[in-house]
Amino acid sequence: GVSPSRFLHLFKAEVGVPFRHFRAWKRARQLLAHATSRHSLTRLAQDLGYTDSSYFSNSIRQVYGLRPKDILAGSRNLSLGTLPNG
């Protein structure tokens, strides 16, 4: 029951980051679930809800400091199974 501007103010006060930054981080985080995917970057951008591949690349770079293609290139050979007991 609060206005959008009041929500944004309260969100930043409580969480410590602006809602837009949180939303961008949450969306960019979805890329990690597709790290071993063989889809093109354009397809991944569309699947994750980005309007175009340029916006996708810029958003991912802002969040992770790496280009999406570098993240995927370094992740494609990973095995995401269970960890051995140690």
Coordinates of all heavy atoms in Angstrom, one line a residue:
G1 N 0.8 -1.2 0.0 CA 0.0 0.0 0.0 C 0.8 1.3 0.0 O 0.4 2.3 0.6
V2 N 2.0 1.3 -0.7 CA 2.8 2.5 -0.7 C 3.0 2.9 -2.2 O 2.8 2.0 -3.1 CB 4.2 2.3 -0.1 CG1 4.1 2.0 1.4 CG2 5.0 1.2 -0.8
S3 N 3.3 4.1 -2.4 CA 3.5 4.6 -3.8 C 4.8 4.0 -4.3 O 5.7 3.6 -3.6 CB 3.6 6.1 -3.8 OG 4.8 6.6 -3.2
P4 N 4.9 4.0 -5.7 CA 6.2 3.4 -6.3 C 7.4 4.2 -5.8 O 8.4 3.5 -5.5 CB 5.9 3.6 -7.8 CG 4.5 3.6 -7.9 CD 3.9 4.2 -6.7
S5 N 7.3 5.5 -5.7 CA 8.5 6.2 -5.3 C 8.9 6.0 -3.8 O 10.0 5.9 -3.4 CB 8.3 7.8 -5.5 OG 7.2 8.2 -4.7
R6 N 7.8 5.8 -3.0 CA 8.1 5.4 -1.6 C 8.7 4.0 -1.4 O 9.6 3.8 -0.7 CB 6.8 5.5 -0.7 CG 7.0 5.3 0.7 CD 7.8 6.4 1.4 NE 8.0 6.1 2.8 CZ 9.0 6.4 3.5 NH1 10.0 7.1 2.9 NH2 9.2 6.1 4.7
F7 N 8.2 3.1 -2.3 CA 8.7 1.8 -2.3 C 10.2 1.8 -2.6 O 11.0 1.2 -2.0 CB 8.0 0.9 -3.3 CG 8.7 -0.4 -3.5 CD1 8.7 -1.5 -2.6 CD2 9.5 -0.6 -4.7 CE1 9.4 -2.6 -2.9 CE2 10.2 -1.8 -4.9 CZ 10.1 -2.8 -4.0
L8 N 10.6 2.5 -3.7 CA 12.0 2.6 -4.1 C 12.9 3.2 -3.0 O 14.0 2.7 -2.8 CB 12.1 3.5 -5.4 CG 11.4 2.9 -6.6 CD1 11.5 3.9 -7.8 CD2 12.0 1.6 -7.0
H9 N 12.3 4.2 -2.3 CA 13.1 4.8 -1.2 C 13.3 3.8 0.0 O 14.4 3.6 0.5 CB 12.3 6.0 -0.7 CG 13.0 6.6 0.6 ND1 14.1 7.4 0.5 CD2 12.6 6.6 1.9 CE1 14.4 7.8 1.7 NE2 13.5 7.3 2.6
L10 N 12.2 3.1 0.3 CA 12.2 2.1 1.4 C 13.2 0.9 1.0 O 13.9 0.4 1.9 CB 10.8 1.6 1.8 CG 9.9 2.6 2.4 CD1 8.5 2.1 2.5 CD2 10.5 3.0 3.8
F11 N 13.1 0.5 -0.2 CA 13.9 -0.6 -0.7 C 15.4 -0.3 -0.5 O 16.2 -1.1 0.0 CB 13.6 -1.0 -2.1 CG 14.3 -2.2 -2.6 CD1 13.7 -3.4 -2.5 CD2 15.6 -2.1 -3.2 CE1 14.3 -4.6 -3.0 CE2 16.2 -3.2 -3.6 CZ 15.6 -4.5 -3.5
K12 N 15.8 0.9 -1.0 CA 17.2 1.3 -0.9 C 17.6 1.4 0.6 O 18.7 1.0 0.9 CB 17.4 2.6 -1.6 CG 18.9 3.0 -1.6 CD 19.2 4.2 -2.5 CE 20.7 4.5 -2.4 NZ 21.0 5.7 -3.2
A13 N 16.8 2.0 1.4 CA 17.1 2.1 2.8 C 17.3 0.8 3.5 O 18.2 0.6 4.3 CB 16.0 2.9 3.5
E14 N 16.4 -0.2 3.1 CA 16.5 -1.5 3.8 C 17.6 -2.4 3.2 O 18.3 -3.1 4.0 CB 15.1 -2.2 3.6 CG 15.0 -3.5 4.4 CD 15.0 -3.3 5.9 OE1 14.6 -2.3 6.4 OE2 15.4 -4.3 6.6
V15 N 17.7 -2.5 1.9 CA 18.6 -3.4 1.3 C 20.0 -2.8 1.1 O 21.0 -3.5 1.1 CB 18.0 -3.9 -0.1 CG1 19.0 -4.8 -0.8 CG2 16.7 -4.6 0.2
G16 N 20.1 -1.5 0.9 CA 21.3 -0.8 0.7 C 21.7 -0.5 -0.7 O 22.8 0.1 -1.0
V17 N 20.9 -1.0 -1.7 CA 21.2 -0.7 -3.1 C 19.9 -0.3 -3.8 O 18.8 -0.7 -3.3 CB 21.8 -1.9 -3.9 CG1 23.1 -2.3 -3.3 CG2 20.8 -3.1 -3.8
P18 N 19.9 0.5 -4.8 CA 18.7 0.9 -5.5 C 18.0 -0.3 -6.1 O 18.7 -1.3 -6.5 CB 19.2 1.8 -6.6 CG 20.5 2.3 -6.2 CD 21.1 1.2 -5.4
F19 N 16.7 -0.3 -6.2 CA 15.9 -1.4 -6.7 C 16.4 -1.7 -8.2 O 16.5 -2.9 -8.5 CB 14.5 -1.0 -6.7 CG 13.6 -2.2 -7.2 CD1 13.4 -3.3 -6.5 CD2 13.0 -2.1 -8.5 CE1 12.6 -4.4 -6.9 CE2 12.2 -3.1 -8.9 CZ 12.0 -4.2 -8.2
R20 N 16.7 -0.7 -9.0 CA 17.1 -1.0 -10.4 C 18.4 -1.8 -10.4 O 18.6 -2.7 -11.2 CB 17.4 0.3 -11.1 CG 16.1 1.0 -11.5 CD 16.3 2.3 -12.2 NE 17.3 2.1 -13.3 CZ 17.7 3.0 -14.1 NH1 17.3 4.3 -13.9 NH2 18.6 2.8 -15.0
H21 N 19.3 -1.6 -9.5 CA 20.6 -2.3 -9.4 C 20.3 -3.8 -9.0 O 20.9 -4.7 -9.5 CB 21.6 -1.7 -8.5 CG 22.1 -0.4 -9.0 ND1 23.0 0.3 -8.3 CD2 21.9 0.3 -10.1 CE1 23.3 1.5 -8.9 NE2 22.6 1.5 -10.0
F22 N 19.4 -3.9 -8.0 CA 19.0 -5.2 -7.5 C 18.4 -6.0 -8.6 O 18.7 -7.2 -8.9 CB 18.1 -5.1 -6.3 CG 17.6 -6.5 -5.9 CD1 18.4 -7.3 -5.1 CD2 16.3 -6.9 -6.2 CE1 17.9 -8.6 -4.7 CE2 15.8 -8.1 -5.8 CZ 16.6 -8.9 -5.1
R23 N 17.5 -5.4 -9.4 CA 16.8 -6.1 -10.5 C 17.7 -6.5 -11.6 O 17.7 -7.6 -12.1 CB 15.7 -5.2 -11.0 CG 14.8 -5.8 -12.0 CD 13.7 -4.9 -12.5 NE 14.4 -3.7 -13.1 CZ 13.7 -2.6 -13.3 NH1 12.5 -2.4 -13.0 NH2 14.4 -1.6 -13.9
A24 N 18.7 -5.6 -11.9 CA 19.7 -5.9 -12.9 C 20.6 -7.1 -12.5 O 20.9 -8.0 -13.2 CB 20.6 -4.7 -13.2
W25 N 21.0 -7.1 -11.2 CA 21.8 -8.2 -10.6 C 21.0 -9.5 -10.7 O 21.5 -10.6 -11.1 CB 22.2 -7.9 -9.2 CG 22.8 -9.1 -8.5 CD1 24.0 -9.6 -8.6 CD2 22.1 -10.0 -7.6 NE1 24.2 -10.7 -7.8 CE2 23.0 -10.9 -7.2 CE3 20.8 -10.0 -7.1 CZ2 22.6 -12.0 -6.3 CZ3 20.4 -11.0 -6.3 CH2 21.4 -12.0 -5.9
K26 N 19.7 -9.5 -10.3 CA 18.9 -10.7 -10.3 C 18.7 -11.3 -11.7 O 18.8 -12.5 -11.9 CB 17.5 -10.4 -9.6 CG 16.7 -11.6 -9.3 CD 15.6 -11.2 -8.4 CE 14.7 -12.3 -8.1 NZ 15.2 -13.5 -7.5
R27 N 18.5 -10.4 -12.6 CA 18.4 -10.9 -14.0 C 19.7 -11.4 -14.6 O 19.7 -12.5 -15.2 CB 17.9 -9.7 -14.9 CG 17.7 -10.2 -16.4 CD 17.3 -9.1 -17.3 NE 15.9 -8.9 -17.3 CZ 15.3 -7.9 -18.0 NH1 16.0 -7.1 -18.7 NH2 14.0 -7.8 -17.9
A28 N 20.8 -10.7 -14.3 CA 22.1 -11.2 -14.8 C 22.5 -12.5 -14.1 O 23.1 -13.3 -14.7 CB 23.2 -10.1 -14.5
R29 N 22.0 -12.7 -12.9 CA 22.3 -14.0 -12.2 C 21.8 -15.2 -12.9 O 22.3 -16.3 -12.8 CB 21.8 -13.9 -10.8 CG 22.2 -15.0 -9.9 CD 21.8 -14.7 -8.5 NE 22.0 -15.9 -7.7 CZ 21.2 -16.3 -6.9 NH1 20.1 -15.7 -6.6 NH2 21.4 -17.5 -6.2
Q30 N 20.7 -15.0 -13.7 CA 20.1 -16.1 -14.4 C 21.0 -16.7 -15.5 O 20.9 -17.8 -15.9 CB 18.8 -15.6 -15.1 CG 17.7 -15.3 -14.1 CD 16.5 -14.7 -14.9 OE1 16.4 -14.6 -16.1 NE2 15.5 -14.3 -14.1
L31 N 22.0 -15.8 -15.9 CA 22.9 -16.3 -16.9 C 23.7 -17.5 -16.4 O 24.0 -18.4 -17.1 CB 23.9 -15.2 -17.3 CG 25.1 -15.6 -18.2 CD1 24.5 -16.1 -19.6 CD2 26.0 -14.5 -18.4
L32 N 24.0 -17.5 -15.1 CA 24.8 -18.6 -14.5 C 24.1 -19.9 -14.6 O 24.8 -21.0 -14.7 CB 25.1 -18.2 -13.1 CG 25.9 -17.0 -12.9 CD1 26.2 -16.7 -11.4 CD2 27.2 -17.0 -13.7
A33 N 22.8 -19.9 -14.6 CA 22.1 -21.2 -14.8 C 22.2 -21.7 -16.2 O 22.0 -22.9 -16.4 CB 20.6 -21.0 -14.4
H34 N 22.6 -20.9 -17.1 CA 22.8 -21.3 -18.5 C 24.2 -21.3 -18.9 O 24.5 -21.3 -20.1 CB 22.0 -20.3 -19.4 CG 20.5 -20.2 -19.2 ND1 19.7 -21.2 -19.7 CD2 19.8 -19.4 -18.4 CE1 18.4 -20.9 -19.2 NE2 18.5 -19.8 -18.5
A35 N 25.1 -21.3 -18.0 CA 26.6 -21.2 -18.2 C 27.1 -22.4 -19.1 O 28.0 -22.2 -19.8 CB 27.3 -21.2 -16.9
T36 N 26.5 -23.5 -19.1 CA 27.0 -24.6 -19.9 C 26.1 -24.8 -21.1 O 26.3 -25.8 -21.8 CB 27.0 -25.9 -19.1 OG1 25.7 -26.2 -18.6 CG2 28.0 -25.8 -17.9
S37 N 25.2 -23.9 -21.4 CA 24.4 -24.0 -22.6 C 25.2 -23.8 -23.8 O 26.2 -23.1 -23.9 CB 23.3 -22.8 -22.5 OG 22.6 -22.8 -23.7
R38 N 24.7 -24.4 -24.9 CA 25.3 -24.3 -26.2 C 24.6 -23.3 -27.1 O 24.9 -23.1 -28.3 CB 25.3 -25.6 -26.9 CG 26.1 -26.7 -26.2 CD 27.6 -26.4 -26.3 NE 28.3 -27.5 -25.6 CZ 29.5 -27.3 -25.1 NH1 30.1 -26.2 -25.3 NH2 30.1 -28.3 -24.5
H39 N 23.6 -22.6 -26.5 CA 22.9 -21.5 -27.3 C 23.7 -20.3 -27.6 O 24.7 -20.1 -26.8 CB 21.6 -21.1 -26.5 CG 20.6 -22.2 -26.3 ND1 20.0 -22.8 -27.4 CD2 20.1 -22.7 -25.2 CE1 19.1 -23.7 -26.9 NE2 19.2 -23.7 -25.6
S40 N 23.4 -19.6 -28.6 CA 24.1 -18.4 -28.9 C 23.8 -17.3 -27.9 O 22.8 -17.4 -27.1 CB 23.7 -17.9 -30.3 OG 22.3 -17.4 -30.2
L41 N 24.6 -16.3 -27.8 CA 24.4 -15.2 -26.9 C 23.1 -14.5 -27.2 O 22.4 -14.1 -26.3 CB 25.6 -14.2 -26.9 CG 26.9 -14.7 -26.3 CD1 28.0 -13.7 -26.5 CD2 26.7 -15.0 -24.8
T42 N 22.8 -14.3 -28.5 CA 21.5 -13.7 -28.8 C 20.3 -14.5 -28.3 O 19.4 -13.9 -27.7 CB 21.4 -13.5 -30.4 OG1 22.5 -12.8 -30.8 CG2 20.1 -12.9 -30.8
R43 N 20.4 -15.8 -28.4 CA 19.3 -16.6 -27.9 C 19.2 -16.6 -26.4 O 18.1 -16.5 -25.8 CB 19.5 -18.1 -28.4 CG 18.7 -19.1 -27.7 CD 17.3 -19.2 -28.4 NE 16.4 -20.1 -27.6 CZ 16.4 -21.4 -27.9 NH1 17.1 -22.0 -28.8 NH2 15.5 -22.1 -27.2
L44 N 20.3 -16.6 -25.7 CA 20.3 -16.5 -24.3 C 19.8 -15.1 -23.8 O 19.0 -15.1 -22.9 CB 21.7 -16.6 -23.7 CG 22.3 -18.1 -23.7 CD1 23.7 -18.1 -23.2 CD2 21.4 -18.9 -22.8
A45 N 20.1 -14.1 -24.5 CA 19.6 -12.7 -24.2 C 18.1 -12.7 -24.3 O 17.4 -12.2 -23.4 CB 20.2 -11.7 -25.1
Q46 N 17.6 -13.3 -25.4 CA 16.1 -13.4 -25.5 C 15.5 -14.2 -24.5 O 14.5 -13.9 -23.9 CB 15.8 -13.9 -26.9 CG 16.1 -13.0 -28.0 CD 15.9 -13.6 -29.4 OE1 15.8 -14.8 -29.5 NE2 15.9 -12.8 -30.4
D47 N 16.1 -15.4 -24.2 CA 15.5 -16.3 -23.2 C 15.5 -15.7 -21.8 O 14.6 -16.0 -21.0 CB 16.3 -17.6 -23.1 CG 16.1 -18.5 -24.4 OD1 15.2 -18.2 -25.2 OD2 16.8 -19.5 -24.5
L48 N 16.4 -14.8 -21.5 CA 16.5 -14.2 -20.2 C 15.7 -12.9 -20.1 O 15.7 -12.2 -19.1 CB 18.0 -14.0 -19.8 CG 18.8 -15.2 -19.7 CD1 20.3 -14.9 -19.4 CD2 18.2 -16.1 -18.6
G49 N 15.1 -12.5 -21.2 CA 14.2 -11.3 -21.2 C 14.9 -10.0 -21.5 O 14.3 -8.9 -21.3
Y50 N 16.1 -10.0 -22.1 CA 16.7 -8.7 -22.5 C 16.2 -8.3 -23.8 O 15.9 -9.2 -24.7 CB 18.3 -8.9 -22.5 CG 18.9 -9.1 -21.2 CD1 19.1 -10.3 -20.6 CD2 19.3 -7.9 -20.5 CE1 19.7 -10.5 -19.4 CE2 19.9 -8.1 -19.2 CZ 20.1 -9.3 -18.7 OH 20.7 -9.5 -17.4
T51 N 16.1 -7.0 -24.0 CA 15.5 -6.5 -25.3 C 16.4 -6.7 -26.5 O 15.9 -6.9 -27.6 CB 15.1 -5.1 -25.2 OG1 16.2 -4.3 -24.7 CG2 14.0 -4.9 -24.2
D52 N 17.7 -6.7 -26.3 CA 18.6 -6.9 -27.4 C 20.0 -7.4 -26.8 O 20.2 -7.3 -25.6 CB 18.8 -5.7 -28.3 CG 19.4 -4.5 -27.6 OD1 20.4 -4.6 -27.0 OD2 18.7 -3.5 -27.6
S53 N 20.8 -8.0 -27.7 CA 22.1 -8.5 -27.2 C 23.1 -7.5 -26.7 O 23.9 -7.8 -25.8 CB 22.7 -9.4 -28.3 OG 22.9 -8.6 -29.5
S54 N 23.0 -6.3 -27.2 CA 23.9 -5.2 -26.8 C 23.5 -4.8 -25.3 O 24.4 -4.7 -24.5 CB 23.7 -4.0 -27.7 OG 24.5 -3.0 -27.2
Y55 N 22.3 -4.7 -25.0 CA 21.8 -4.4 -23.7 C 22.2 -5.5 -22.7 O 22.6 -5.3 -21.6 CB 20.3 -4.1 -23.7 CG 19.7 -3.9 -22.3 CD1 20.2 -2.9 -21.5 CD2 18.7 -4.7 -21.9 CE1 19.6 -2.7 -20.2 CE2 18.1 -4.5 -20.6 CZ 18.6 -3.5 -19.8 OH 18.1 -3.3 -18.6
F56 N 22.0 -6.7 -23.2 CA 22.4 -7.9 -22.5 C 23.9 -7.9 -22.1 O 24.3 -8.1 -20.9 CB 22.1 -9.2 -23.3 CG 22.6 -10.5 -22.8 CD1 22.2 -11.0 -21.6 CD2 23.6 -11.2 -23.6 CE1 22.7 -12.3 -21.2 CE2 24.1 -12.4 -23.2 CZ 23.6 -12.9 -22.0
S57 N 24.7 -7.7 -23.1 CA 26.2 -7.7 -22.9 C 26.6 -6.6 -21.9 O 27.4 -6.8 -21.0 CB 26.9 -7.5 -24.2 OG 26.8 -8.6 -25.0
N58 N 26.0 -5.4 -22.1 CA 26.3 -4.3 -21.2 C 25.9 -4.5 -19.8 O 26.6 -4.2 -18.8 CB 25.7 -3.0 -21.7 CG 26.4 -2.5 -22.9 OD1 27.6 -2.7 -23.2 ND2 25.7 -1.8 -23.8
S59 N 24.7 -5.1 -19.6 CA 24.2 -5.4 -18.3 C 25.0 -6.4 -17.5 O 25.4 -6.3 -16.4 CB 22.7 -5.9 -18.3 OG 21.9 -4.9 -18.8
I60 N 25.4 -7.5 -18.3 CA 26.2 -8.5 -17.7 C 27.6 -8.0 -17.3 O 28.1 -8.3 -16.2 CB 26.3 -9.7 -18.6 CG1 25.0 -10.4 -18.9 CG2 27.3 -10.7 -18.1 CD1 24.3 -11.0 -17.7
R61 N 28.1 -7.2 -18.2 CA 29.5 -6.6 -17.9 C 29.4 -5.7 -16.7 O 30.3 -5.7 -15.8 CB 30.0 -5.8 -19.1 CG 31.4 -5.5 -19.0 CD 32.0 -4.8 -20.2 NE 31.7 -5.5 -21.4 CZ 31.1 -5.0 -22.5 NH1 30.8 -3.7 -22.5 NH2 30.8 -5.7 -23.6
Q62 N 28.3 -4.9 -16.5 CA 28.2 -4.1 -15.3 C 28.1 -4.9 -14.0 O 28.7 -4.5 -13.0 CB 26.9 -3.2 -15.4 CG 27.1 -2.0 -16.2 CD 25.9 -1.1 -16.1 OE1 24.7 -1.6 -16.1 NE2 26.1 0.2 -16.1
V63 N 27.4 -6.0 -14.1 CA 27.2 -6.8 -12.9 C 28.5 -7.6 -12.5 O 28.9 -7.7 -11.4 CB 26.0 -7.7 -13.0 CG1 25.9 -8.7 -11.9 CG2 24.7 -6.9 -13.1
Y64 N 29.0 -8.3 -13.5 CA 30.1 -9.3 -13.3 C 31.5 -8.7 -13.7 O 32.5 -9.3 -13.3 CB 29.9 -10.6 -14.0 CG 28.7 -11.3 -13.5 CD1 27.6 -11.5 -14.3 CD2 28.7 -11.8 -12.2 CE1 26.5 -12.2 -13.9 CE2 27.6 -12.5 -11.8 CZ 26.5 -12.7 -12.6 OH 25.4 -13.4 -12.1
G65 N 31.6 -7.7 -14.4 CA 32.8 -7.2 -14.9 C 33.5 -8.0 -16.0 O 34.6 -7.8 -16.3
L66 N 32.7 -8.9 -16.5 CA 33.1 -9.7 -17.6 C 32.1 -9.7 -18.7 O 30.9 -9.6 -18.5 CB 33.3 -11.2 -17.2 CG 34.4 -11.4 -16.1 CD1 34.2 -12.8 -15.6 CD2 35.8 -11.2 -16.7
R67 N 32.5 -9.9 -20.0 CA 31.6 -10.1 -21.1 C 30.9 -11.4 -21.0 O 31.5 -12.4 -20.5 CB 32.3 -10.0 -22.4 CG 33.0 -8.6 -22.6 CD 33.7 -8.5 -23.9 NE 34.8 -9.6 -23.9 CZ 35.6 -9.8 -24.9 NH1 35.6 -9.1 -25.9 NH2 36.5 -10.8 -24.8
P68 N 29.6 -11.5 -21.4 CA 28.9 -12.8 -21.4 C 29.7 -13.9 -22.1 O 29.8 -15.0 -21.6 CB 27.6 -12.5 -22.1 CG 27.4 -11.1 -21.9 CD 28.8 -10.4 -21.9
K69 N 30.3 -13.6 -23.2 CA 31.0 -14.6 -24.0 C 32.2 -15.1 -23.2 O 32.5 -16.3 -23.3 CB 31.4 -14.2 -25.4 CG 32.5 -13.2 -25.5 CD 32.8 -12.9 -26.9 CE 34.2 -12.2 -27.1 NZ 34.5 -12.1 -28.5
D70 N 32.8 -14.3 -22.4 CA 33.9 -14.8 -21.6 C 33.5 -15.6 -20.4 O 34.1 -16.6 -20.1 CB 34.7 -13.6 -21.0 CG 35.4 -12.8 -22.1 OD1 35.7 -13.3 -23.2 OD2 35.6 -11.6 -21.9
I71 N 32.3 -15.3 -19.8 CA 31.7 -16.1 -18.8 C 31.4 -17.5 -19.4 O 31.7 -18.5 -18.8 CB 30.5 -15.4 -18.2 CG1 30.9 -14.2 -17.4 CG2 29.7 -16.4 -17.3 CD1 29.7 -13.3 -17.0
L72 N 30.7 -17.5 -20.5 CA 30.3 -18.8 -21.1 C 31.5 -19.6 -21.6 O 31.6 -20.8 -21.4 CB 29.3 -18.5 -22.2 CG 28.0 -17.9 -21.8 CD1 27.1 -17.7 -23.0 CD2 27.3 -18.8 -20.8
A73 N 32.5 -18.9 -22.2 CA 33.7 -19.7 -22.6 C 34.4 -20.3 -21.5 O 34.9 -21.5 -21.6 CB 34.6 -18.7 -23.4
G74 N 34.5 -19.7 -20.3 CA 35.1 -20.3 -19.2 C 34.3 -21.3 -18.5 O 34.8 -22.0 -17.6
S75 N 33.0 -21.4 -18.8 CA 32.1 -22.3 -18.1 C 31.6 -23.5 -18.9 O 31.1 -24.4 -18.3 CB 30.9 -21.5 -17.6 OG 31.2 -20.4 -16.9
R76 N 31.8 -23.5 -20.1 CA 31.2 -24.5 -21.0 C 31.7 -25.9 -20.7 O 31.0 -26.9 -20.9 CB 31.3 -24.2 -22.4 CG 30.4 -23.0 -22.8 CD 29.8 -23.2 -24.2 NE 28.7 -22.3 -24.3 CZ 28.6 -21.3 -25.2 NH1 29.6 -21.1 -25.9 NH2 27.5 -20.6 -25.3
N77 N 32.9 -26.0 -20.2 CA 33.5 -27.3 -19.9 C 33.4 -27.7 -18.5 O 33.9 -28.8 -18.1 CB 35.0 -27.3 -20.3 CG 35.1 -27.1 -21.8 OD1 34.3 -27.6 -22.6 ND2 36.1 -26.4 -22.2
L78 N 32.6 -26.9 -17.7 CA 32.5 -27.3 -16.3 C 31.4 -28.4 -16.1 O 30.5 -28.5 -16.8 CB 32.0 -26.1 -15.5 CG 32.9 -24.9 -15.2 CD1 32.2 -23.8 -14.5 CD2 34.1 -25.4 -14.4
S79 N 31.7 -29.2 -15.1 CA 30.7 -30.2 -14.8 C 30.0 -29.7 -13.5 O 30.6 -29.4 -12.5 CB 31.4 -31.5 -14.4 OG 30.4 -32.4 -13.9
L80 N 28.7 -29.5 -13.6 CA 27.9 -28.9 -12.5 C 27.2 -30.0 -11.7 O 26.1 -29.7 -11.2 CB 26.9 -27.9 -13.1 CG 27.6 -26.7 -13.8 CD1 26.5 -25.8 -14.4 CD2 28.5 -25.9 -12.9
G81 N 27.8 -31.1 -11.6 CA 27.2 -32.2 -10.8 C 27.4 -32.0 -9.3 O 27.7 -30.9 -8.9
T82 N 27.3 -33.0 -8.6 CA 27.5 -32.9 -7.1 C 29.0 -32.8 -6.8 O 29.9 -33.4 -7.5 CB 26.9 -34.1 -6.4 OG1 27.5 -35.3 -6.9 CG2 25.4 -34.1 -6.6
L83 N 29.3 -32.2 -5.7 CA 30.7 -32.1 -5.2 C 31.1 -33.4 -4.5 O 30.2 -34.0 -3.8 CB 30.8 -30.9 -4.3 CG 30.6 -29.6 -4.9 CD1 30.7 -28.5 -3.8 CD2 31.7 -29.3 -5.9
P84 N 32.3 -33.8 -4.6 CA 32.7 -35.0 -3.8 C 32.7 -34.7 -2.3 O 32.9 -33.6 -1.9 CB 34.1 -35.3 -4.3 CG 34.6 -34.0 -4.9 CD 33.4 -33.3 -5.4
N85 N 32.5 -35.7 -1.5 CA 32.6 -35.6 -0.1 C 34.0 -35.4 0.4 O 34.9 -36.1 -0.1 CB 32.0 -36.8 0.6 CG 30.5 -37.0 0.4 OD1 29.8 -36.0 0.2 ND2 30.0 -38.2 0.4
G86 N 34.2 -34.5 1.3 CA 35.6 -34.1 1.6 C 35.8 -34.3 3.0 O 36.4 -34.5 3.8

